[in-house]
Amino acid sequence: MSASFEIRVHTSFENIDPSEWDSCAGSTSCESERAVDPFTTYRFLKALEESGSIGPGTGWQAEYLTVHKGDEMIAAAPVYGKSHSQGEYIFDFNWAHAYENAGGRYYPKLQVAVPFTPVTGRRLLTKPEHEQVGRAALIQGLVQLVQENKISSAHITFCAEDEATEGEKIGLLKRKSQQFHWKNSSYQSFDDFLDGLSSRKRKNIRKERKQAQSFGGEIVQLTGDQIQPEHWDAFWRFYQDTGARKWGTPYLTRSFFDLAHERMRDDILLVLAIREGQAIAGALNFIGADALFGRYWGCTEHYPALHFELCYYQAIDYAIAHGLSTVEAGAQGEHKLARGYLPVETHSLHYIADPGFRDAVAKFLDAEAQAIGEEIEILTAYGPFKNSGETD
């Protein structure tokens, strides 16, 4: 590393310039004023910190890295010291158990990630023309933190594929996982999308949409100033219910949603089912420059297929209407396959300090990658779309 570069560690965003961070994050695309990835923007990550969703008592302690060339920030990464593996969605619980059973101490560890957000994106954020040196500096800084603090490991999760490839070349362990994404093949309408499905899958989706609409109210899509405080009050109830059932305790605080509304409501799509003037179910999405990201769902009343309608079909409707190429509907869920969401690879990188443990993890990852590749191939073959030449 050239002496002209300086790596800094920050325990909060207070001393980081928002415009400099967003310049590294590539907050907007050439074609759109929207953030390519809303989750690595300063305003999103700062809202997590300011709301107390991360920080003392959460197991997520900020250790943000920035790289500077003179007075200019050229690279940055959202790094957190972790005392557990909750809220990551790339599971390493078995690694922790194995290491600790062998007498090691797995926690704390370092996590380069967007907390609670299983969305693929750049994690080693660099300004244009500084990609190579910026990424190398961030990885060097990450390794130095592990070594100097004598901790077990560092993990870069849901990183971009090119980051994973470069990281593997310099010695990090590459891990393959999978999610289900919907891809827009220049559809003009939802029916246009349905026309590409097999007859049975098409009929099932139409049946589910009809079932969902029979709950006795209306389904609305809200964004920007259409979203009102009472809508967040309702969604908070939904989120608490889902969080309590899935994780025991919701990850995000109530304050986070207020800050998101204040700073990011134009980047949010809230889909609500409203009956007799009251919201009874809802799904929260974030809008990127070319993708819609489904994040949370919840309800206070249960109706057949309403979950599929609010989370998957309404998202497809929105993506088609606004020309978005992709809908990412979150982690896991093979049930998404029948609804037009196909398996795709996701990637992560891992630095393991202990050589023996690193070798064991590497062997596991090789076997896991082969199994996931085979699973993606099988699931894609059994997907809902018509085979070549197939007619109804």
Side-chain angles (χ1 to χ4, degrees):
M1 178 63 55
S2 169
S4 61
F5 293 94
E6 179 186 4
I7 303 172
R8 301 176 189 171
V9 182
H10 309 261
T11 56
S12 80
F13 271 115
E14 291 302 319
N15 296 320
I16 299 176
D17 181 86
S19 62
E20 286 285 277
W21 181 279
D22 283 342
S23 292
C24 293
S27 60
T28 59
S29 71
C30 297
E31 295 79 19
S32 170
E33 293 183 0
R34 289 195 184 279
V36 175
D37 180 354
F39 304 107
T40 54
T41 59
Y42 184 97
R43 59 187 182 274
F44 182 88
L45 295 169
K46 182 68 157 54
L48 289 176
E49 179 183 302
E50 195 173 327
S51 67
S53 300
I54 63 102
T58 68
W60 291 82
Q61 178 57 52
E63 302 284 349
Y64 311 123
L65 286 180
T66 58
V67 180
H68 300 260
K69 182 180 180 182
D71 294 331
E72 182 185 11
M73 181 194 298
I74 64 164
V79 183
Y80 301 88
K82 293 295 304 297
S83 60
H84 54 66
S85 293
Q86 301 293 330
E88 297 170 9
Y89 302 94
I90 298 292
F91 302 115
D92 64 350
F93 298 106
N94 290 338
W95 301 2
H97 293 157
Y99 194 54
E100 291 173 356
N101 286 340
R105 184 185 178 198
Y106 194 72
Y107 304 107
K109 62 176 183 172
L110 292 181
Q111 197 80 20
V112 184
V114 178
F116 329 121
T117 307
V119 170
T120 291
R122 292 168 58 231
R123 296 292 175 262
L124 306 175
L125 313 175
T126 63
K127 285 185 176 178
E129 301 180 5
H130 293 286
E131 290 87 356
Q132 185 173 4
V133 69
R135 288 177 178 178
L138 289 169
I139 291 175
Q140 177 182 315
L142 199 64
V143 171
Q144 283 180 334
L145 281 176
V146 169
Q147 294 174 343
E148 290 172 2
N149 292 282
K150 295 181 171 58
I151 58 181
S152 70
S153 53
H155 311 265
I156 307 172
T157 47
F158 292 102
C159 60
E161 185 175 5
D162 62 336
E163 291 177 326
T165 299
E166 289 181 24
E168 185 178 32
K169 288 178 180 177
I170 62 175
L172 301 185
L173 301 180
K174 179 181 175 182
R175 189 176 191 183
K176 182 189 297 185
S177 304
Q178 74 166 17
Q179 287 185 339
F180 292 86
H181 296 175
W182 179 85
K183 296 296 183 180
N184 188 352
S185 296
S186 301
Y187 300 122
Q188 300 302 303
S189 67
F190 195 91
D191 282 341
D192 195 13
F193 154 63
L194 289 181
D195 284 344
L197 304 184
S198 67
S199 176
R200 185 167 61 88
K201 298 300 184 185
R202 183 167 62 245
K203 289 176 181 177
N204 184 65
I205 289 176
R206 284 178 172 152
K207 178 183 176 181
E208 287 184 340
R209 299 206 79 175
K210 186 176 181 180
Q211 281 181 318
Q213 294 288 345
S214 68
F215 76 99
E218 64 173 340
I219 295 172
V220 296
Q221 295 184 355
L222 305 173
T223 189
D225 292 339
Q226 296 172 324
I227 305 174
Q228 297 298 309
E230 61 266 25
H231 298 137
W232 288 118
D233 290 338
F235 190 79
W236 174 245
R237 292 193 295 272
F238 308 149
Y239 176 71
Q240 281 185 299
D241 176 70
T242 301
R245 286 186 287 104
K246 281 192 172 184
W247 317 304
T249 302
Y251 294 136
L252 300 173
T253 65
R254 178 65 178 84
S255 175
F256 171 81
F257 295 100
D258 291 333
L259 292 172
H261 177 78
E262 175 189 326
R263 301 168 188 177
M264 301 187 71
R265 60 184 177 272
D266 289 336
D267 302 316
I268 289 172
L269 171 67
L270 195 58
V271 182
L272 296 175
I274 299 175
R275 187 170 60 81
E276 297 178 356
Q278 298 294 320
I280 57 98
L284 174 64
N285 305 268
F286 283 82
I287 310 166
D290 196 35
L292 186 69
F293 305 96
R295 289 304 305 115
Y296 300 106
W297 135 272
C299 64
T300 53
E301 299 180 20
H302 296 272
Y303 292 91
L306 193 57
H307 169 252
F308 302 140
E309 176 65 26
L310 296 191
C311 293
Y312 308 140
Y313 303 143
Q314 288 287 322
I316 290 173
D317 276 338
Y318 185 91
I320 292 172
H322 293 83
L324 302 179
S325 69
T326 306
V327 177
E328 295 192 24
Q332 304 172 308
E334 290 186 7
H335 60 279
K336 297 168 187 170
L337 184 67
R339 292 161 183 93
Y341 291 71
L342 294 178
V344 298
E345 290 184 1
T346 59
H347 305 278
S348 58
L349 290 166
H350 307 270
Y351 173 75
I352 308 293
D354 181 277
F357 186 46
R358 181 168 61 244
D359 290 344
V361 170
K363 292 177 182 176
F364 167 80
L365 293 181
D366 285 342
E368 183 186 51
Q370 182 176 345
I372 288 175
E374 292 171 355
E375 183 178 9
I376 288 175
E377 185 176 347
I378 292 169
L379 289 173
T380 300
Y382 282 91
F385 293 88
K386 296 175 185 175
N387 296 322
S388 178
E390 180 182 348
T391 58
D392 294 329

